[in-house]
Amino acid sequence: MLHELQVVAAAVSTFVERARRERALGRLRAELRACRRRVVMRLQESIGPEYVATSQSVLKLWYVSGCEVMPRETPRWWIKRRTRGTWEDLRQCDDATDDYFREKLRMSPRVFREITGACAPHLQRRVTFYREPLQPDQIVAYALYRWASGETYESGMCHFGIGRASGLVAVRDVTAALLRVFADKIAWPSGLRKLVVLRAFADKGFPNCHGCIDCTHIFVDKPANAPSENYYDRKRRFSIVAQVVVDLDLRVVDVHCGYPGSFHDIRVLQLSSLWQRAESGELFRGPPVTLTFGVRTSGYVLADNGYPPSEWMVVPYGGINQHVDDERFDNKQKVAREAVEQAFGRLKGM
């Protein structure tokens, strides 16, 4: 028993002595840092900032010797260091760059540089004391990789050397920047572009047609605290509905999305701004044209049988044992309406 008490007393004495030495060493380091700081301040006052800027390496050496840390360039011990695996590979310039970009980001380096240059002013990060901020091109690349691959945030942050919180903020910021910078990319055709679209559909046998409309499901994780049956679609997956109008060049001219996957296409249409503008006469203002099947219209879009026929929406006749003229019309309408299906395939391929 006496031996055990002696061992405990020795351990406590050792701990107390070590704590005393560490406190003394801490005070010494604090005094040394204060001394270095005073020297630097006197140096700035005596020789001016233009000469101080030329001696940054000497100041950093003093910080290392006195404070045992490097300012800004070296992160603190609680900051996770970045590996930048995929990002470093994307920055390489060699013969495989284009293929690697298309594999990881689903686009060419030229398109990536165009997007980055346009969004860079909205993605600048403030420089902090701990480490340099993420650059706009890395932020855009991570967001595009996240959308293209569909991987989890944990997997993506390992490839790009960023934290989970930084990844969440990057996706949100890039989304807002894209909507702000490229807001004019999705617009109803007008001017010369409108004439090109009308001529293309007229060559297909549909004069005064402005586009093709359809809906598709975008699979998502069910939002928190939302009823499961609202987002559970007919394919037995959680999704939201996207209503898209495209022309024959696969250009998206109108998009409306965000409603749960259980919504019908007609319900999404009635809730969209496209329906309001078309019903009020703000969308189709061209001179009336009489179609070959006897309908007079100022403009319309092509749709499938999931939509109701109206003055500005042309749908197939459908049914079985069709008349020859009805069958011919349905075939031509189906061929022209394939543009929207091709646009969906390209979108989901990216």
Side-chain angles (χ1 to χ4, degrees):
M1 184 66 179
L2 181 61
H3 178 69
E4 293 179 355
L5 292 177
Q6 292 176 351
V7 171
V8 172
V12 172
S13 301
T14 303
F15 177 78
V16 172
E17 180 64 20
R18 182 175 180 179
R20 186 185 63 80
R21 292 183 179 180
E22 289 182 353
R23 286 197 301 270
L25 182 60
R27 289 193 295 269
L28 180 61
R29 288 179 177 175
E31 294 175 359
L32 183 59
R33 285 195 295 268
C35 180
R36 301 299 184 193
R37 207 174 291 115
R38 290 192 296 269
V39 171
V40 171
M41 294 298 295
R42 288 197 297 267
L43 181 64
Q44 292 179 349
E45 295 175 357
S46 60
I47 66 177
E50 62 275 7
Y51 295 101
V52 176
T54 61
S55 59
Q56 291 296 323
S57 59
V58 178
L59 295 179
K60 291 180 181 179
L61 181 62
W62 285 3
Y63 269 99
V64 172
S65 61
C67 306
E68 299 183 356
V69 293
M70 284 287 287
R72 184 172 297 171
E73 282 78 2
T74 301
R76 297 295 185 266
W77 61 270
W78 65 84
I79 303 296
K80 184 177 180 180
R81 301 181 185 274
R82 299 167 175 163
T83 56
R84 301 180 178 181
T86 302
W87 171 236
E88 291 297 334
D89 294 337
L90 289 172
R91 297 175 63 184
Q92 300 298 324
C93 296
D94 51 31
D95 297 337
T97 301
D98 291 357
D99 295 338
Y100 193 74
F101 257 85
R102 294 185 183 278
E103 176 187 354
K104 297 297 182 181
L105 305 184
R106 305 295 195 270
M107 63 182 59
S108 63
R110 179 187 62 82
V111 177
F112 172 75
R113 289 192 295 268
E114 178 183 350
I115 295 176
T116 302
C119 298
H122 305 279
L123 299 174
Q124 294 291 346
R125 294 291 190 268
R126 183 172 59 87
V127 179
T128 62
F129 180 78
Y130 300 109
R131 61 183 177 191
E132 295 182 359
L134 297 174
Q135 298 302 311
D137 52 354
Q138 186 177 0
I139 296 174
V140 174
Y142 173 77
L144 295 176
Y145 177 81
R146 176 76 174 84
W147 292 330
S149 63
E151 294 185 0
T152 61
Y153 282 100
E154 287 77 5
S155 178
M157 72 182 188
C158 294
H159 291 301
F160 282 79
I162 63 179
R164 179 181 175 86
S166 299
L168 292 170
V169 174
V171 173
R172 182 195 62 192
D173 292 348
V174 172
T175 302
L178 290 174
L179 294 176
R180 187 181 303 112
V181 174
F182 298 104
D184 59 336
K185 294 299 182 180
I186 299 179
W188 201 259
S190 60
L192 181 59
R193 181 62 196 170
K194 179 179 179 180
L195 297 178
V196 173
V197 172
L198 295 179
R199 175 62 63 87
F201 277 104
D203 294 340
K204 290 286 187 179
F206 295 94
N208 217 20
C209 180
H210 290 71
C212 307
I213 185 174
D214 201 359
C215 287
T216 186
H217 288 260
I218 302 175
F219 300 125
V220 297
D221 294 333
K222 186 184 74 66
N225 302 323
S228 302
E229 58 273 12
N230 289 352
Y231 290 85
Y232 199 62
D233 59 22
R234 63 180 183 275
K235 296 183 179 180
R236 298 182 179 180
R237 296 185 62 176
F238 297 115
S239 66
I240 58 176
V241 182
Q243 175 186 279
V244 181
V245 181
V246 303
D247 57 21
L248 290 180
D249 292 332
L250 308 187
R251 292 174 178 262
V252 177
V253 299
D254 186 84
V255 62
H256 184 73
C257 64
Y259 288 102
S262 61
F263 274 42
H264 194 273
D265 294 355
I266 299 179
R267 181 57 176 165
V268 176
L269 174 65
Q270 294 173 345
L271 293 174
S272 65
S273 61
L274 178 68
W275 173 275
Q276 299 175 2
R277 290 182 294 163
E279 290 294 325
S280 62
E282 300 177 3
L283 195 60
F284 303 105
R285 296 182 176 181
V289 174
T290 302
L291 304 181
T292 55
F293 41 91
V295 176
R296 188 173 178 83
T297 175
S298 298
Y300 57 94
V301 295
L302 301 178
D304 57 20
N305 292 109
Y307 292 92
S310 64
E311 295 180 357
W312 57 274
M313 186 170 293
V314 176
V315 300
Y317 287 101
I320 58 177
N321 298 326
Q322 290 181 307
H323 189 270
V324 177
D325 294 339
D326 296 348
E327 184 178 1
R328 184 183 300 112
F329 171 80
D330 285 0
N331 291 334
K332 294 179 64 175
Q333 201 259 13
K334 180 180 180 181
V335 171
R337 194 164 39 83
E338 284 181 354
V340 68
E341 302 295 342
Q342 295 176 9
F344 287 154
R346 176 178 294 183
L347 174 64
K348 294 188 177 181
M350 294 184 67

